[in-house]
Amino acid sequence: MISLVDEHRQWFKSKVGTALTETSRDIAFCAHGILQQNLFVVEDALEDPRFANNPLITGGSPVRFYAGWPLRTPDGHVLGMLCVNDHVPRQLSNEQRQALRVLSHQVMCQIEMRRLAAERERSVTESRRLHSETEDAHAAMLGILEDQTLQSRQLELVLSSTAEGIYGTDLQGRCTFMNRAAADLLGCKEEDWLGRNMHELIHHHKSDGSPYPQLECPIVRALQSGDVCHVNTEIFFRKDETSFAVDYSSHPVCDGGVITGAVITFSNITERKKLEDDLPHV
């Protein structure tokens, strides 16, 4: 569930597996979660004195397990939680904890981009109204330009606030933008790779050392088909040609129903892979 929390209640903007649409904040697990800096987990609510008498626990369909990551804006304000729950006690693996963190960042990026789009739409509507009421077209155009500059700064703030690397490509796979985290993970400067083919720069070989043809690349195929892809078994190369294990997703960008490019998010999972390799195989 994606929950939003205000002074009196929590309500769900997106949910799977529950009929609930909202609850009082007084009984909400999320009211506790938004006070945390990171992941908030209740493995067994019946064993937790904070929740043992909660009607969500004692009702006909009791919640026994809860885990959530705060949805925090770039300026530090918490809107709610990205959370999961179950009717039986559970424990999360390290991979599941990491997944909740990454998904919470992606949810906040989507929320911020939608907010900026709504602000832009309101700005355009207001500018049109001003243009129809006044003969000063120059002043109206100046207002639009100032608004676009503000939105560009806000979007840049969103992109720079996440630890995940994010870059965009056009239909030919050429880099159109890159956030600070991506540049740091790849050991490069954004301006060095703008306009260059990202597959040739960071995805040219497989983890076994064999060449990686572009036509076999999931990112390239997803760009052509318009599908979303997610891969966590490959490597990316830095500018100095060292490599690291990577978890990445590619999402198509459409304009009027036509694919114009893609946005790729990725993170370095080298340490996670080492931990997994060190685990005993049963």
Side-chain angles (χ1 to χ4, degrees):
M1 299 178 287
I2 297 174
S3 72
L4 300 182
V5 180
D6 64 15
E7 184 178 0
H8 302 292
R9 64 179 179 140
Q10 73 166 351
W11 69 101
F12 306 118
K13 299 297 291 184
S14 180
K15 58 192 177 72
V16 175
T18 178
L20 279 176
T21 57
E22 64 178 78
T23 70
S24 167
R25 174 169 175 155
D26 294 339
I27 63 172
F29 284 78
C30 295
H32 297 267
I34 62 175
L35 303 178
Q36 311 302 314
Q37 288 296 316
N38 297 307
L39 184 67
F40 176 61
V41 179
V42 179
E43 294 181 350
D44 189 347
L46 278 180
E47 301 297 325
D48 192 317
R50 294 172 296 181
F51 304 105
N53 296 319
N54 189 307
L56 294 176
I57 312 304
T58 59
S61 183
V63 176
R64 294 286 299 277
F65 167 81
Y66 172 95
W69 197 285
L71 299 175
R72 185 171 285 105
T73 65
D75 61 2
H77 182 66
V78 179
L79 302 179
M81 300 288 289
L82 173 71
C83 55
V84 293
N85 59 47
D86 205 342
H87 300 306
V88 296
R90 288 191 178 277
Q91 293 182 341
L92 292 180
S93 67
N94 289 334
E95 183 176 10
Q96 290 168 329
R97 291 170 181 263
Q98 171 72 1
L100 280 174
R101 183 181 71 85
V102 171
L103 286 173
S104 71
H105 283 304
Q106 293 179 348
V107 168
M108 276 311 306
C109 283
Q110 288 292 327
I111 289 175
E112 283 295 302
M113 285 189 285
R114 291 187 182 191
R115 182 180 66 81
L116 292 175
E119 287 183 359
R120 179 170 184 173
E121 182 64 28
R122 287 194 296 269
S123 175
V124 170
T125 301
E126 179 66 10
S127 295
R128 287 172 179 168
R129 184 185 68 81
L130 290 172
H131 185 72
S132 66
E133 293 179 355
T134 178
E135 297 179 356
D136 193 355
H138 174 72
M141 287 300 297
L142 182 60
I144 293 174
L145 290 174
E146 289 174 347
D147 182 71
Q148 289 176 335
T149 300
L150 175 62
Q151 289 177 33
S152 296
R153 290 173 180 170
Q154 290 173 323
L155 182 56
E156 182 180 353
L157 180 62
V158 172
L159 291 175
S160 63
S161 68
T162 177
E164 278 67 50
I166 304 174
Y167 69 89
T169 71
D170 60 14
L171 284 176
Q172 286 71 46
R174 296 173 299 205
C175 182
T176 55
F177 74 89
M178 179 181 295
N179 74 343
R180 185 186 308 162
D184 291 342
L185 287 167
L186 298 172
C188 69
K189 294 181 179 179
E190 178 185 5
E191 56 268 26
D192 293 341
W193 283 2
L194 288 178
R196 300 181 64 185
N197 185 287
M198 290 300 288
H199 180 83
E200 296 175 357
L201 290 170
I202 69 172
H203 210 197
H204 45 75
H205 280 74
K206 301 178 182 179
S207 56
D208 63 3
S210 61
Y212 207 158
Q214 286 201 50
L215 293 179
E216 297 178 13
C217 173
I219 297 175
V220 175
R221 293 203 306 266
L223 185 61
Q224 295 171 345
S225 66
D227 297 327
V228 175
C229 77
H230 174 238
V231 179
N232 59 7
T233 57
E234 297 181 352
I235 60 174
F236 278 359
F237 288 81
R238 303 180 181 89
K239 184 177 181 180
D240 64 5
E241 287 304 306
T242 58
S243 64
F244 58 92
V246 66
D247 181 311
Y248 69 82
S249 298
S250 176
H251 297 261
V253 175
C254 298
D255 185 4
V258 178
I259 300 173
T260 59
V263 173
I264 297 89
T265 61
F266 67 95
S267 57
N268 185 338
I269 58 170
T270 301
E271 294 300 320
R272 192 180 84 194
K273 288 290 188 183
K274 288 180 179 179
L275 289 174
E276 292 174 352
D277 291 339
D278 292 337
L279 290 175
H281 297 285
V282 179

